[in-house]
Amino acid sequence: MVTHLRGAERDIVNQLIDRNLFTSTLTAQTPKATVNAVKALKKTVVQQHVNHFLQELVGTIPENYQENLVWLVGPPKEDAETVHILLATLKAVINVPELQGNRADRSVLTQTIVRQVHSEVPQLDEREIHRRITQLFVDRFQLFTPDTPEYVPLDQDQEMIEYWNVDPDFNRIAQALVTRLATKVATPPLTRLQRLNRALLIKRSLSRATTSPQLWQTLQEHRTELAQQWAELGRFDLECGDDYALLLDRTRTPSRAKPTVVAIAVARQIGEVGLPTAKLMAKIKQVTAVLFPDATISPTLVKQALAELGLVTVRDAFVVATPIAQRFLAKTTPEEESHHE
């Protein structure tokens, strides 16, 4: 029996899926749908519906801190280095003098935050710290919005200065995150459907080759029920083939990242015949040179895209394309893009 969600409840759950957070602070720029969702969250029945849906879906409900929701669903435990960077970034931003009080301008110099975190995590260089902070606070929690100055004089030959606009609810969310990380939350026993939904939520794709026979059988037997659960959010289509399953998000914009385009091309070229793992980096460089001869693209980023999109699997020291690779289309145009067919 699938829990049915109303409009505001659906908006709350979708925000939790998108950023692991639902914040209650409203500004003049807050969309009307979010305003309605914040008001709805004050009702006990709405909280119950949201919790019941997420409990059925993945077996974990959000923690409520003063009407700010934190929902960390992912690996059983974040690695110590990631937690260290997370906490150091929270500390650095809270202590930025420019953000004290209720200033309308909430921009901070990116390099200031990166250097402060680097002083706390000296084993990583600043470039890697910038990447990790971006993953956490820009992509995952969406508490930072990248910004660059609107006007740079044309006669000035200077490096573009990067800023982050900080969410107005940052301090309250920071406290909620610290409290959540300090609280030992045991993962309850999960049903097979909950385990499947967790895997789909995190990976967005599964294949027969990389999924246990028991779970794959469960997926085949309950594909209609699983599809109905995801369809309740008004954005997901669960597509199941004989050898793959894809959770397609209609709100997701096509990726324009060059490493993603290269990764799709590599996977489609090596196919099911495969390639020795020792030759993968050479293959990536070869495909990159053909697709983007004038660009510098990190082979490591391409390997990450191969893994994150579920395009390949490793069998007996061979890298083999998954059936999912055939569901992607890669194009090289003045604005490179890649997307599902």
Side-chain angles (χ1 to χ4, degrees):
M1 186 69 179
V2 177
T3 299
H4 295 295
L5 298 174
R6 301 180 182 90
E9 296 163 354
R10 187 177 293 117
D11 289 338
I12 293 169
V13 173
N14 278 324
Q15 284 202 39
L16 289 172
I17 286 174
D18 286 338
R19 57 186 299 214
N20 294 165
L21 303 171
F22 181 81
T23 60
S24 61
T25 295
L26 302 176
T27 67
Q29 290 74 39
T30 303
K32 183 178 180 180
T34 302
V35 173
N36 293 337
V38 169
K39 293 178 180 177
L41 187 61
K42 299 179 185 296
K43 301 176 182 178
T44 302
V45 66
V46 170
Q47 296 179 30
Q48 290 174 340
H49 281 174
V50 168
N51 288 346
H52 195 252
F53 178 85
L54 292 174
Q55 178 66 39
E56 282 186 335
L57 190 72
V58 296
T60 299
I61 66 174
E63 300 290 329
N64 192 326
Y65 303 97
Q66 298 178 328
E67 296 179 357
N68 290 300
L69 303 183
V70 178
W71 190 59
L72 301 182
V73 176
K77 185 179 180 180
E78 298 285 3
D79 63 87
E81 202 166 60
T82 298
V83 173
H84 195 178
I85 292 171
L86 172 61
L87 295 176
T89 305
L90 295 176
K91 177 183 175 182
V93 174
I94 289 173
N95 290 329
V96 170
E98 293 86 348
L99 295 182
Q100 305 304 318
N102 296 318
R103 289 184 50 178
D105 181 7
R106 296 189 57 80
S107 295
V108 296
L109 188 61
T110 298
Q111 193 61 32
T112 299
I113 303 301
V114 170
R115 286 176 178 167
Q116 184 61 42
V117 174
H118 183 238
S119 70
E120 300 270 349
V121 192
Q123 68 270 27
L124 299 177
D125 61 31
E126 291 189 1
R127 183 175 181 179
E128 176 62 14
I129 287 174
H130 183 283
R131 187 183 72 81
R132 300 275 195 101
I133 294 176
T134 299
Q135 281 184 335
L136 286 168
F137 288 89
V138 177
D139 300 331
R140 182 176 180 183
F141 298 132
Q142 298 176 30
L143 290 171
F144 296 166
T145 303
D147 186 26
T148 52
E150 294 183 3
Y151 172 72
V152 176
L154 296 177
D155 59 349
Q156 290 189 16
D157 184 14
Q158 63 183 36
E159 183 179 351
M160 187 67 71
I161 300 174
E162 182 184 5
Y163 289 84
W164 280 322
N165 286 325
V166 179
D167 190 287
D169 217 14
F170 185 88
N171 285 17
R172 293 175 66 192
I173 289 297
Q175 184 59 54
L177 285 170
V178 171
T179 303
R180 172 62 179 80
L181 291 170
T183 305
K184 293 183 179 180
V185 179
T187 301
L190 301 174
T191 67
R192 286 185 179 180
L193 293 185
Q194 289 169 337
R195 288 167 58 194
L196 280 167
N197 281 330
R198 277 182 175 242
L200 288 167
L201 177 65
I202 296 167
K203 301 178 181 178
R204 300 299 172 98
S205 63
L206 299 174
S207 69
R208 179 195 290 271
T210 58
T211 305
S212 71
Q214 295 85 356
L215 275 184
W216 191 255
Q217 183 64 29
T218 301
L219 174 63
Q220 297 301 314
E221 292 174 354
H222 296 275
R223 60 169 71 181
T224 300
E225 181 182 347
L226 291 167
Q228 288 174 345
Q229 281 186 303
W230 288 106
E232 191 63 32
L233 292 169
R235 60 186 280 194
F236 291 108
D237 296 311
L238 180 61
E239 177 183 303
C240 294
D242 293 335
D243 299 311
Y244 70 91
L246 280 174
L247 188 63
L248 302 172
D249 187 350
R250 295 192 295 272
T251 67
R252 195 171 187 176
T253 57
S255 171
R256 289 177 169 79
K258 291 184 177 70
T260 302
V261 176
V262 174
I264 293 170
V266 168
R268 292 171 71 98
Q269 284 191 27
I270 65 176
E272 296 180 4
V273 176
L275 185 77
T277 54
K279 296 183 178 181
L280 179 60
M281 294 300 281
K283 183 66 174 178
I284 289 173
K285 293 176 182 178
Q286 175 194 358
V287 173
T288 301
V290 172
L291 294 180
F292 303 108
D294 299 323
T296 301
I297 300 172
S298 166
T300 300
L301 293 180
V302 176
K303 286 186 68 176
Q304 289 176 358
L306 286 168
E308 290 172 0
L309 295 172
L311 297 172
V312 297
T313 185
V314 179
R315 303 177 195 163
D316 302 323
F318 261 69
V319 181
V320 181
T322 65
I324 296 167
Q326 298 304 316
R327 287 291 289 109
F328 284 86
L329 173 66
K331 297 192 296 185
T332 53
T333 64
E335 293 183 347
E336 297 79 12
E337 60 180 298
S338 61
H339 53 79
H340 293 298
E341 292 182 353

